[in-house]
Amino acid sequence: MDETHFISSTTNSPVPLTTRWEAPSNIALVKYWGKTDPQLPKNSSLSFTLSSSVTTTEVEFKANNKKTFEFEFYFEGVLKPDFHPKLNSFFKRIHHYIPWIALYSLKINSHNSFPHSSGIASSASAMAALSMCIMDMEKTLFPETTAAEFYRKASFLARLGSGSAARSIEGPVTLWGKNTPQESSSDLYASSFGNQLHSVFTAYQDTILLVDKGSKAVSSTQGHQLMHNHPFAEQRFVQAETNLERLLVVMQSGNLDEFISIVETEALSLHAMMMTSNPYFILMQPNTLKIIQKVWDFRKQTQIPLCFTLDAGANVHLLYPQSNKKEVRTFIADHLAVYCEQGQYLFDEVGSGAKKV
Ligand code: DP6
């Protein structure tokens, strides 16, 4: 299968439709960092799909008499022209695969379940929710589209909006990138790790410690660019593939010592890439490091398998089994909340993927 598989037919008669989908954020365990055009990650990645951190998007598809595609984007009811350039390039990239869109004008209204300024990236959940709405229209036009095709193409389209968004369509664990052990995996779309998953991971907890709620000094998109000509890029891509192969085994065995070792290595390698880019940059903050040290001390003292991961920012994701919820939450409240901006953190857990609402 290649990209041409996803090119749909066109139609002459537009059908009006309003549809609304909710899509979750995700947290990568093996990180994607570095990409080529168009939006093709340089290495495989694997993530937990989250449950409470979601974007809900409603799209109204109206027949467009001018026969040139147009859209308006509202965030929480307010027209947001500043989002247009990012959405414009998304629609330009996907137009080829959904030629029927030329007959429509879209009114897109989106909102997030997580607070406005929380430093949580919303591009994954936002692009995934929008892609589900687009696929709902495609299914309306072409009812023969199977469920498997629907989800695959939604992930394919979402990837063209934001690389990590490909992994926000399904749950509870998703994998992007062709690799040898997982035969069904693909470079075109992400797929669910599904029924091979060890039961400890099906309700894994993620508490997001909001160390810095402001916007990041360097965006992910800029960070990805800096992997071109990066002195350690090739070794990093090899490391990610090796870590992914190790993690695929752990996802089935439930070996939490190995899980912790891979996940924390991945988080620190991601940030090491940032620190060794040209120009270099640091997104962690002093409180990020204080939390990491406290997590290590806690794990040593209690033997509770609590670990951390980081996305491209200062916030810390704490990962732990559901069975340790009580002790970990007491530890967070008593010892880690002090390092969070306004003492804030968000509880989340592994979830099942996008749904129609
Ligand atoms: C560190 O998907 O946000 O979270 O494709 O440019 O939109 P774009 O970047 P994005 O990058 C994600 C980076 C990451 C790792 C990951 O989610 O795999």
Side-chain angles (χ1 to χ4, degrees):
M1 190 192 289
D2 63 12
E3 289 85 352
T4 55
H5 174 85
F6 291 113
I7 304 173
S8 70
S9 314
T10 194
T11 55
N12 291 324
S13 37
V15 181
L17 176 79
T18 299
T19 178
R20 189 202 291 208
W21 284 77
E22 175 189 292
S25 184
N26 69 71
I27 181 70
L29 306 177
V30 171
K31 312 286 182 183
Y32 136 57
W33 198 243
K35 62 179 167 182
T36 52
D37 250 2
Q39 283 286 111
L40 197 63
K42 290 284 277 182
N43 64 265
S44 308
S45 57
L46 182 145
S47 50
F48 279 149
T49 301
L50 297 182
S51 173
S52 309
S53 309
V54 298
T55 297
T56 305
T57 297
E58 181 179 280
V59 180
E60 201 182 325
F61 292 86
K62 286 183 284 189
N64 179 359
N65 299 330
K66 287 183 261 167
K67 298 215 162 90
T68 50
F69 170 71
E70 51 186 29
F71 68 92
E72 275 181 335
F73 178 77
Y74 294 78
F75 186 68
E76 301 189 340
V78 182
L79 189 62
K80 290 276 179 188
D82 35 323
F83 283 77
H84 274 220
K86 183 152 187 163
L87 283 166
N88 226 349
S89 40
F90 172 58
F91 283 115
K92 272 198 185 132
R93 278 193 208 121
I94 67 170
H95 194 285
H96 180 58
Y97 303 100
I98 50 165
W100 50 261
I101 197 106
L103 303 178
Y104 292 92
S105 110
L106 270 52
K107 186 174 174 192
I108 307 167
N109 204 333
S110 201
H111 70 262
N112 294 336
S113 65
F114 38 92
H116 270 316
S117 41
S118 58
I120 298 187
S122 62
S123 66
S125 50
M127 288 300 179
L130 179 55
S131 300
M132 293 305 272
C133 293
I134 292 168
M135 282 311 295
D136 213 4
M137 185 71 218
E138 181 151 304
K139 171 113 182 120
T140 306
L141 296 172
F142 308 107
E144 65 281 7
T145 311
T146 64
E149 268 307 292
F150 184 99
Y151 281 90
R152 272 188 205 146
K153 186 163 173 183
S155 174
F156 171 80
L157 296 178
R159 192 204 86 220
L160 293 169
S162 179
S164 54
R167 302 186 315 245
S168 270
I169 302 292
E170 294 188 81
V173 168
T174 59
L175 166 67
W176 181 90
K178 182 99 208 103
N179 65 81
T180 326
Q182 196 74 11
E183 275 177 11
S184 58
S185 62
S186 167
D187 278 355
L188 296 171
Y189 51 84
S191 42
S192 172
F193 190 73
N195 51 18
Q196 307 154 50
L197 191 66
H198 189 279
S199 58
V200 71
F201 297 120
T202 54
Y204 226 69
Q205 303 293 301
D206 178 8
T207 300
I208 309 162
L209 304 181
L210 304 180
V211 171
D212 184 1
K213 303 198 291 169
S215 58
K216 296 178 279 189
V218 180
S219 71
S220 293
T221 303
Q222 291 165 309
H224 288 297
Q225 290 307 322
L226 293 172
M227 287 302 277
H228 297 297
N229 304 319
H230 190 293
F232 306 134
E234 288 313 314
Q235 293 95 317
R236 165 61 200 151
F237 303 141
V238 171
Q239 181 198 39
E241 298 300 339
T242 308
N243 283 340
L244 185 87
E245 289 193 15
R246 287 171 64 200
L247 193 57
L248 288 172
V249 176
V250 170
M251 287 286 121
Q252 294 179 61
S253 70
N255 178 341
L256 293 183
D257 287 339
E258 180 76 350
F259 175 80
I260 290 170
S261 148
I262 300 166
V263 168
E264 292 190 347
T265 297
E266 276 291 311
L268 295 178
S269 287
L270 167 70
H271 284 259
M273 290 301 108
M274 299 173 191
M275 291 189 232
T276 47
S277 294
N278 181 12
Y280 46 79
F281 60 106
I282 302 180
L283 294 182
M284 289 188 285
Q285 299 214 345
N287 282 349
T288 311
L289 297 180
K290 286 189 182 140
I291 290 168
I292 291 174
Q293 191 57 55
K294 289 269 176 192
V295 167
W296 286 342
D297 294 344
F298 175 81
R299 198 162 72 220
K300 201 163 173 196
Q301 281 157 19
T302 63
Q303 308 299 313
I304 290 174
L306 170 69
C307 72
F308 73 87
T309 189
L310 306 165
D311 60 12
N315 296 336
V316 182
H317 287 247
L318 292 185
L319 304 176
Y320 50 99
Q322 194 186 33
S323 57
N324 296 115
K325 208 162 154 175
K326 197 159 162 272
E327 307 92 301
V328 172
R329 290 191 176 185
T330 305
F331 168 62
I332 293 170
D334 293 351
H335 298 283
L336 302 182
V338 62
Y339 301 118
C340 300
E341 207 177 320
Q342 294 167 313
Q344 282 186 314
Y345 47 92
L346 305 171
F347 293 122
D348 212 328
E349 63 184 351
V350 166
S352 57
K355 38 181 179 287
K356 193 165 181 161
V357 285

